Amino acid sequence: MSALQTSSSDVPTLLVKIFGKDRPGITAGLFDTLAAFSVDVVDIEQVVTRGRMVLCALVTEPPAGLEGDLRSTVHSWAESMKMQAEIISGIGDNRPRGLGRSLVTVLGHPLTAEATAAVAAKITKAGGNIDRIFRLAKYPVTAVEFAVSGVETEPLRTALVTGAAALGVDVAVVDAGLYRRAQRLVVMDVDSTLIQDEVIELFAAHAGCEDEVAEVTAAAMRGELDFEQSLHARVALLAGLDASVVDKVRAEVRLTPGARTLIRTLKRLGYQVGVVSGGFTQVTDDLQERLGLDFAQANTLEIVDGRLTGRVTGEIVDRAGKARLLRRFAAEAGVPLSQTVAIGDGANDLDMLNAAGLGVAFNAKPVVREAAHTAVNVPFLDTVLYLLGITREEVEAAETHDEQ
């Protein structure tokens, strides 16, 4: 039985640090060297930044009388590899991490040293310790992830999200439990989230009442008007439009940059994806087919004798309705609400964002940014992937797979 198996935190250990220019074979070479001294591996950490490697190995102390030989052998090997070595004696493993495990994702465009310092300082002030930092992406934004222990997720989120916009960064804080990588459900708003447009305004342009509709839409999204009343008022202005306008509006819809990448990557990684919209099924049904969405629900424009009547039919998808649909989709997908993600920009998305395990305000109105779990303020929808811990390399791998 090894020394590691028979002992606890009072076992003498050595921290072996190797640093220098990265090249193939360094890790294998170090452990080949250590293997000659019958040590057990307690921990390993390796980081490569701009071609420079730092490799740390925490190992048990070798049998009596061999530590000097181990030190000289490791230093000689490192010198032969044009690397530097440092060996530090100590007792036991790393100190236990504090209770509370969170993953903090920081997005910057660019990510400045000032913002990074401020985030790190806020983590410390909240009682957290940074255990590890990992870069998720370098474009279209810089995204880094901090593994933090010692503070519960909710107070850490409150400490970090407040004031993030003033630093020029977006910050998301999630629990580091296993569910983060479990299969989950992502549900998005459509207008000004999945697509760049407000669909009712596209219809209104064909009816010659675009400015009037846009004014009512803006007030509703700010939370100044009841959504259902504003919906009926706007739709009434479309009465008499020829139904052929539906095909024209579908052709005019512009996806948000990164939308296809977001959905394609999520689907490739086993996520289910849906949309809920205060807009119209005449557009969302088309988007569902084009993008391969698992779920889609919206209001339906009534068409009689080839013309829009100025009314909607069926259940109204409003603020409460979006949250209700999120729960319905989650039940159908077999995914707990804690494993759902909701993305939206308007006041009528707030109930849905708050009901989800992670609510993301995407280029949202101030009232939404303040209430959501986190906010993304860059124009690329696929940056949401980084909030889920998905790296740029995984995104590119998904795109490569789809091209084959």
Side-chain angles (χ1 to χ4, degrees), residues 124-140:
T124 300
K125 187 175 180 179
N129 183 72
I130 299 171
D131 300 319
R132 185 171 300 168
I133 305 175
F134 176 71
R135 187 179 73 181
L136 295 168
K138 61 182 178 181
Y139 68 93

Side-chain angles (χ1 to χ4, degrees), residues 53 58 86 107 129 168 172 234 274 278 294 304 346 359 401:
M53 166 194 276
L58 186 65
E86 181 181 5
L107 308 179
N129 183 72
R234 289 175 291 172
D294 299 285
V304 176
H401 180 275

Side-chain angles (χ1 to χ4, degrees), residues 86-298:
E86 181 181 5
I87 303 175
I88 304 171
S89 299
I91 299 294
D93 197 351
N94 302 308
R95 62 174 180 157
R97 294 176 181 172
L99 296 177
R101 302 279 193 279
S102 301
L103 296 172
V104 177
T105 306
V106 181
L107 308 179
H109 188 56
L111 178 60
T112 66
E114 179 183 10
T116 306
V119 170
K122 286 187 175 187
I123 291 172
T124 300
K125 187 175 180 179
N129 183 72
I130 299 171
D131 300 319
R132 185 171 300 168
I133 305 175
F134 176 71
R135 187 179 73 181
L136 295 168
K138 61 182 178 181
Y139 68 93
V141 299
T142 301
V144 295
E145 182 176 271
F146 296 76
V148 177
S149 63
V151 59
E152 295 299 328
T153 298
E154 284 304 321
L156 182 62
R157 176 184 290 141
T158 300
L160 295 181
V161 173
T162 304
L167 296 172
V169 295
D170 298 322
V171 180
V173 183
V174 299
D175 185 87
L178 291 175
Y179 78 85
R180 193 192 193 203
R181 279 293 192 166
Q183 186 181 38
R184 61 168 75 186
L185 169 70
V186 177
V187 176
M188 289 175 277
D189 174 44
V190 176
D191 293 9
S192 299
T193 300
L194 178 63
I195 66 175
Q196 300 178 56
D197 313 283
E198 292 287 334
V199 168
I200 196 166
E201 293 178 13
L202 297 179
F203 277 102
H206 292 279
C209 57
E210 185 177 11
D211 291 343
E212 189 174 353
V213 165
E215 183 178 344
V216 178
T217 299
M221 291 301 99
R222 291 192 299 267
E224 298 170 3
L225 294 176
D226 174 82
F227 178 81
E228 184 171 349
Q229 291 178 336
S230 70
L231 175 67
H232 289 304
R234 289 175 291 172
V235 172
L237 296 170
L238 307 181
L241 270 179
D242 191 281
S244 63
V245 77
V246 170
D247 289 333
K248 296 176 183 178
V249 167
R250 286 175 173 174
E252 292 166 353
V253 165
R254 301 167 299 162
L255 292 174
T256 297
R260 287 188 184 277
T261 299
L262 171 68
I263 294 169
R264 182 166 54 233
T265 304
L266 291 172
K267 297 289 290 180
R268 177 76 181 104
L269 296 176
Y271 290 65
Q272 297 187 62
V273 185
V275 294
V276 291
S277 177
F280 310 110
T281 56
Q282 282 83 356
V283 170
T284 58
D285 288 351
D286 180 61
L287 290 171
Q288 181 176 20
E289 183 177 353
R290 286 166 51 195
L291 300 174
L293 301 172
D294 299 285
F295 306 97
Q297 189 69 45

Side-chain angles (χ1 to χ4, degrees), residues 29-59:
L30 172 63
F31 286 99
D32 276 344
T33 302
L34 293 172
F37 296 92
S38 301
V39 298
D40 293 325
V41 177
V42 178
D43 197 3
I44 307 172
E45 188 87 24
Q46 179 173 307
V47 177
V48 178
T49 303
R50 210 176 68 178
R52 308 295 292 184
M53 166 194 276
V54 178
L55 171 60
C56 295
L58 186 65
V59 299

